[in-house]
């Protein structure tokens, strides 16, 4: 089984969400080959129980909401929380998990913290309830946790498994009926993943085999019998497995090839009603005592389970489900596609609610909210709703001769030119060091066109100063709300016009319209925002100087405006005054608009580009000057995100590195040199754990998982924030975006 380093895992977690996870634990494991050799394949960044939810934050803190009945939120009181609140006492956490009676938090140092009302099953050796998260003293060097309703497992860095809790069926191994402190499970080694059901346990070993023990009354151990077993034993016929999951009385295994195997009980009861099909094998099965492959389900990359439902995330970005996929009574006995969850990168399923995080970083929830578990009031939500306040990823943006950094606390910090008051303070006086834009808080999205714009958590749009000599902004103008716009999700633009995306999926535009970039069928400029006709269901926008892109929830891309560089991707160079679909481009998850090239990241991790040939992909063989249709960029697979400027591109790949290509005359590729011509993709030296990044005209920036900002390239007026206005082709740390503890 392939080995993975802690730094890579931390990076993948940070990219999956706006609450984007704890700081990289690299310092903990450097020089520790034992720990690096037995890492789980993933950590849990979301957790759900019957009436509760947990999520991990960018600085390693934990946030929770829902019922306080079982003390699962660890807030120190018995007050229900209808919206996310920070859990006290938890720092530097890398994974969260929970059941109906226990919550667990795994720290970067390998310690495990627990809370819950049933003290006897918390692993602390006491019957006292825990109102706040308390470390389990005997557990160290842990890399994964799996809590069940009445017992729990922990995987240590040496590949051994420890368990505690109720043990009436041997689910914690041979021993007493109740195991009050963690005890080693005998007969297991080289384990890489663990899972627990109601009364049984699973372990995945490094050789791809699955071992099971505990209750087997409905065949959940998969050995062809219905006899309980306290000692772990391999499940016959299962090989090359990369992940395991356990429901209440069933088990699942995911193979390296992307197929899913199921066994155990195929029925589940909910409020006196019998639901058949939890195994995804159809309705003709009651008990499956050996693993059976779920037909028609391929290319699966991850699974999420609950007592009543299973969701499978496929490599093409789609999500398939079976069981009770829509409360209260929609049942599917075989997998069906669930379009509402497309693009999910993380899922957690409770009994009657669920959580997901999309590729754009936003957190969504659905289901029964009567106890606040959804976080959006007391209603029932049949479809996912976006949770406000959980989408703010720390970012930095380069604009003209300025740098603007969005911190996790929602404040905006700025440095560089200030002739027109674009720093929001002291108009005419440039700032060589970053300082906050006064009076601006709760920001989630930034853009800089004729002036700075910011979307706040309440959906309002704010602006200040001016970035050009145009009359729409006065030098030194303080931040203030733009009238007429509300319920916005994002703002975009790098030129003389601006786009804004509403929470309802509609797009607004204003500013210059010489090339039809406002998309209204005319070339008439407009100083006030108006809706772009014909666009709905949009989830992302990208605007350059003279054209615009919009990404629909169906994965297709719309384009309009100037096209003399082929940037609309329609195979022509004809200007378009209204949005048109880019032909042949599907399953897109991210879009990027530059002045010389446009990019689309597809669900399979490939990167596609169009525009000026030598800038899109310097590795392409000789051909026409322009690429007027989307073309895959050579070698750019496993891409997570990208950023474009006028003449260079940055892309973050799942190998944990930031790659750069294009022109390097000002050192904007970060290679320590200044070069002529066009350079092919290569990693930026010395950077790892990148969360977000930005490509300016002649410079670049990256934000790391610890909140630090690195910058390189051209540096007029010290726009990079290092106080030294000279070209620097080597990434240097210039700022930290995370608040001080």
């Amino acid at each position: 089984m392939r080995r993975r380093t802690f730094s890579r895992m931390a990076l993948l977690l940070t990219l999956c969400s706006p609450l984007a996870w704890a700081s990289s634990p690299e310092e903990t494991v450097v020089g520790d080959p034992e720990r690096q050799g037995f890492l789980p394949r993933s950590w849990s960044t979301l957790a759900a129980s019957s009436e509760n939810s947990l999520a991990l934050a960018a600085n390693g803190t934990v946030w929770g909401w829902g019922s306080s009945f079982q003390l699962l939120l660890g807030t120190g009181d018995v007050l229900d929380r209808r919206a996310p609140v920070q859990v006290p006492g938890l720092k530097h956490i890398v994974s969260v998990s929970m059941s109906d009676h226990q919550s667990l938090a795994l720290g970067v140092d390998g310690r495990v913290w627990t809370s819950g009302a049933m003290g006897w099953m918390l692993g602390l050796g006491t019957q006292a309830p825990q109102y706040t998260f308390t470390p389990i003293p005997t557990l160290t060097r842990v890399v994964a946790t799996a809590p069940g309703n009445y017992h729990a497992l922990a995987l240590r860095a040496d590949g051994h498994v420890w368990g505690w809790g109720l043990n009436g069926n041997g689910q914690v191994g041979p021993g007493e009926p109740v195991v009050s402190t963690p005890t080693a499970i005998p007969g297991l080694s080289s384990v890489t993943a663990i899972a627990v059901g109601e009364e049984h346990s699973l372990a995945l070993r490094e050789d791809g085999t699955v071992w099971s023990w505990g209750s087997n009354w409905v065949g959940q151990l998969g050995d062809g019998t219905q006899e309980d077993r306290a000692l772990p034993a391999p499940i016959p016929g299962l090989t090359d497995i990369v992940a395991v999951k356990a429901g209440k009385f069933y088990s699942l295994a995911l193979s390296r090839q992307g197929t899913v195997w199921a066994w155990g009980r195929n029925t589940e009861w909910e409020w006196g009603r019998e639901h058949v099909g939890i195994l995804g094998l159809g309705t003709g099965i009651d008990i499956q005592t050996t693993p059976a492959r779920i037909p028609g389900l391929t290319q699966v990359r991850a699974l999420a389970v609950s007592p009543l439902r299973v969701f499978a995330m496929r490599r093409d970005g789609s999500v398939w489900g079976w069981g009770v996929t829509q409360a209260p009574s929609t049942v599917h006995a075989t997998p069906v596609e669930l379009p509402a969850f497309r693009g999910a990168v993380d899922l957690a399923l409770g009994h009657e609610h669920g959580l997901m995080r999309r590729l754009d970083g936003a957190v969504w929830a659905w289901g029964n909210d009567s106890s606040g578990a959804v976080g959006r009031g007391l209603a029932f939500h049949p479809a996912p709703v976006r949770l406000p306040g959980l989408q703010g990823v720390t970012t930095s943006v380069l604009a003209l001769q300025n740098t603007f950094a969005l911190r996790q606390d929602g404040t905006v910090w700025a440095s560089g030119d200030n002739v027109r008051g674009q720093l929001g303070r002291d108009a005419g006086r440039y700032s060589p060091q970053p300082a906050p834009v006064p009076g601006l808080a709760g920001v989630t999205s930034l853009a800089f066109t004729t002036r700075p714009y910011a979307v706040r958590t309440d959906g309002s749009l704010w602006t200040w100063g001016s970035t050009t000599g145009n009359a729409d902004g006065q030098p030194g103008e303080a931040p203030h709300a733009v009238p007429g716009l509300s319920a916005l999700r994002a703002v975009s633009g790098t030129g003389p016009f601006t786009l804004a995306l509403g929470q309802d999926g509609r797009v607004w535009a204003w500013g210059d319209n010489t090339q039809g970039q406002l998309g209204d069928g005319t070339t008439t400029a407009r100083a006030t925002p108006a809706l772009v006709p014909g666009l709905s269901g949009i989830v992302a926008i990208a605007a350059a100087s003279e054209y615009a892109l919009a990404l629909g929830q169906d994965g297709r891309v719309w384009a309009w405006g100037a096209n003399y560089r082929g940037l609309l991707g329609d195979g022509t160079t004809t200007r378009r005054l209204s949005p048109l679909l880019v032909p042949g481009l599907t399953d897109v998850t991210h879009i990027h608009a530059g002045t010389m090239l446009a990019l689309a990241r597809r669900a399979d991790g490939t990167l596609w580009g169009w525009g000026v040939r030598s800038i899109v992909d310097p590795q392409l063989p000789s051909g026409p000057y322009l690429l007027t249709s989307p073309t895959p960029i050579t070698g750019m697979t496993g891409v997570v995100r990208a950023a474009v400027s006028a003449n260079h591109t940055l892309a973050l790949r799942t190998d944990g590195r930031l790659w750069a290509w294009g022109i390097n005359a000002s050192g904007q590729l970060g290679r320590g040199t200044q070069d002529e011509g066009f350079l092919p993709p290569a990693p930026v030296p010395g950077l790892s754990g990148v969360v977000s990044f930005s490509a300016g005209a002649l410079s670049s920036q990256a934000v790391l998982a610890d909140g630090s900002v690195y910058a390189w390239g051209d540096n007029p007026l010290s726009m990079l924030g290092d106080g030294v206005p000279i070209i620097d082709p080597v990434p240097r740390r210039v700022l930290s975006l995370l608040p001080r503890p």
Side-chain angles (χ1 to χ4, degrees):
M1 182 171 292
R2 182 185 306 171
R3 297 189 175 196
R4 297 169 183 254
T5 66
F6 247 82
S7 58
R8 179 171 177 180
M9 291 177 63
L11 171 63
L12 290 175
L13 290 172
T14 61
L15 297 172
C16 285
S17 93
L19 283 175
W21 328 141
S23 303
S24 171
E26 291 171 301
E27 294 181 359
T28 307
V29 297
V30 171
D32 189 351
E34 179 187 53
R35 183 165 190 171
Q36 293 178 4
F38 297 108
L39 292 178
R41 298 187 64 85
S42 65
W43 285 318
S44 302
T45 63
L46 300 172
S49 68
S50 292
E51 300 178 337
N52 301 93
S53 303
L54 291 176
L56 209 56
N59 57 358
T61 59
V62 176
W63 295 69
W65 59 101
S67 170
S68 66
F69 176 62
Q70 289 292 336
L71 308 182
L72 298 178
L73 301 183
T75 53
D77 54 40
V78 291
L79 300 176
D80 293 350
R81 299 303 200 277
R82 303 296 178 182
V85 297
Q86 184 175 344
V87 177
L90 290 181
K91 297 180 179 180
H92 308 302
I93 302 301
V94 295
S95 181
V96 290
S97 54
M98 68 191 318
S99 67
D100 284 351
H101 299 120
Q102 181 178 25
S103 293
L104 297 176
L106 174 61
V108 68
D109 57 1
R111 291 193 303 166
V112 177
W113 299 67
T114 183
S115 72
M118 295 186 178
W120 56 269
M121 65 162 294
L122 301 183
L124 299 172
T126 175
Q127 295 188 15
Q130 299 300 313
Y131 287 78
T132 60
F133 277 88
T134 303
I136 301 177
T138 57
L139 273 184
T140 59
R141 296 171 57 78
V142 173
V143 294
T145 59
N149 278 341
Y150 301 104
H151 77 290
L153 299 180
L155 172 61
R156 296 189 59 183
D158 59 5
H160 291 103
V161 179
W162 292 59
W164 64 94
L166 192 65
N167 194 34
N169 300 94
Q171 57 266 47
V172 189
E176 298 297 323
V178 177
V179 179
S180 61
T181 58
T183 302
I185 307 295
L188 284 176
S189 62
S190 301
V191 174
T192 61
I194 50 178
V196 300
E198 184 87 350
E199 300 168 337
H200 74 289
S201 304
L202 301 175
L204 171 65
R205 294 189 61 193
E206 192 175 22
D207 61 4
T209 60
V210 179
W211 294 55
S212 61
W213 65 101
S215 173
N216 196 28
W217 71 285
V218 286
Q220 60 264 54
L221 299 189
D223 61 0
T225 76
Q226 292 177 252
E227 299 177 0
D228 296 353
R229 186 177 62 247
L231 287 174
I235 298 177
L238 277 184
T239 59
D240 210 19
I241 301 300
V242 296
V244 290
K245 292 288 184 178
K248 191 172 183 180
F249 298 117
Y250 67 93
S251 305
L252 300 170
L254 172 62
S255 75
R256 186 178 303 278
Q257 295 74 32
T259 58
V260 180
W261 299 73
W263 62 99
R265 192 171 74 177
N266 195 36
T267 59
E268 189 54 76
W269 291 83
E270 176 196 33
W271 303 109
R273 298 182 60 185
E274 183 183 44
H275 300 295
V276 181
I278 192 64
L279 298 184
L281 301 173
T283 58
I285 298 172
D286 181 24
I287 293 175
Q288 179 70 35
T289 62
T290 58
R293 178 178 169 179
I294 298 177
L297 192 61
T298 60
Q299 299 297 307
V300 175
R301 63 174 181 82
L303 298 166
V305 304
S306 79
L308 294 173
R309 63 190 59 83
V310 179
F311 283 11
M313 292 173 277
R314 298 183 70 227
R315 295 167 187 166
D316 63 1
S318 63
V319 176
W320 294 62
W322 58 96
V324 188
T325 57
Q326 288 283 351
S329 61
T330 304
V331 181
H332 296 280
T334 56
V336 296
E337 186 173 2
L338 306 173
F341 304 99
R342 185 174 186 85
V345 295
D346 198 5
L347 285 166
L349 302 179
H351 288 246
E352 297 180 346
H353 81 289
L355 307 173
M356 75 170 172
R357 186 166 283 108
R358 292 190 186 277
L359 280 163
D360 65 0
V363 177
W364 297 66
W366 71 95
N368 186 354
D369 203 17
S370 60
S371 299
V374 174
R376 286 291 298 270
L378 300 178
F380 178 80
H381 301 278
V385 291
R386 186 168 177 155
L387 299 184
L390 295 182
Q391 67 271 23
V393 180
T394 54
T395 59
S396 76
V397 178
L398 298 171
L400 299 177
Q401 293 185 337
N402 295 96
T403 296
F404 294 84
L406 173 56
R407 289 178 51 151
Q408 184 205 347
D409 60 7
T411 59
V412 177
W413 292 56
S415 61
D417 186 23
N418 197 29
V419 171
R420 299 177 181 87
Q422 55 265 53
L423 302 185
R425 63 184 186 276
D426 302 328
R429 182 179 179 182
Y430 90 95
S431 175
Q433 301 287 350
V437 176
L440 199 60
V443 175
T444 61
S445 178
L446 293 170
F448 305 91
T449 55
T450 57
R451 61 193 310 183
Y453 287 99
V455 175
R456 297 180 57 181
T457 53
D458 61 3
S460 61
L461 181 68
W462 288 60
T463 188
W464 62 96
S466 175
T467 55
T468 71
N470 294 357
D472 65 342
Q474 297 299 319
E477 192 175 28
H480 60 280
V482 176
L485 282 179
S486 61
L488 295 183
R489 181 185 301 178
V491 63
S492 179
T494 60
F497 81 106
T498 309
L499 291 184
L501 174 61
Q503 295 174 4
D504 59 3
R506 297 187 298 173
V507 178
W508 300 74
W510 65 98
D512 182 50
N513 198 25
T514 306
Q515 298 295 329
Q517 56 264 55
L518 299 187
D520 61 359
T522 76
T523 57
T524 303
R526 186 172 56 248
T528 57
L531 286 170
V532 178
L535 286 183
S536 62
I538 301 301
V539 297
I541 52 175
S545 59
E546 297 178 312
Y547 76 104
L549 303 175
L551 174 61
Q553 61 186 3
D554 58 0
R556 297 190 297 173
V557 178
W558 297 79
W560 64 96
N563 199 23
Y564 50 85
R565 295 191 179 103
L567 292 171
L568 301 188
D570 64 349
T572 76
T573 55
T574 303
R575 181 178 67 181
R576 308 291 182 179
L577 304 184
S578 300
L580 59 84
L581 280 171
V582 178
L585 196 58
T586 58
D587 294 327
V588 174
T589 61
H590 293 76
I591 51 175
H592 309 275
T595 56
M596 297 288 184
L597 76 159
L599 293 179
R601 187 264 192 196
R602 298 185 65 184
D604 60 4
T606 58
L607 195 63
W608 294 60
W610 56 100
V612 177
R613 185 185 195 90
S614 56
I615 295 178
V616 171
D617 187 355
Q619 303 167 103
L620 288 175
S622 299
Y625 172 68
L626 297 179
L627 293 169
T628 59
S629 297
T631 303
I633 297 178
T634 308
M636 281 294 106
T637 59
V639 173
V640 180
R641 289 176 183 162
V644 300
S645 76
N647 51 40
H648 76 289
T649 302
L650 303 176
L652 189 65
R653 298 177 63 178
T654 54
D655 61 5
R657 303 295 301 276
L658 183 67
W659 289 59
W661 66 95
I663 291 178
N664 194 41
S666 296
Q668 57 263 53
L669 302 188
R671 302 182 188 183
T673 61
Q674 295 173 247
D675 305 281
E676 299 296 331
F678 304 96
L679 302 185
V684 178
L687 287 183
S688 62
V690 176
V691 175
S692 68
F693 46 94
S694 177
L698 298 171
S699 53
S700 305
Q701 279 194 326
V703 182
L704 306 191
D706 63 1
S708 58
V709 180
Y710 283 73
W712 60 98
D714 199 10
N715 196 19
L717 297 179
S718 187
M719 61 172 286
L720 299 183
D722 59 1
V724 184
I726 60 174
I727 290 176
D728 192 345
V730 176
R732 310 285 184 188
R733 179 169 177 162
V734 296
L735 175 68
S736 177
L737 296 184
L738 296 184
R740 296 182 180 274

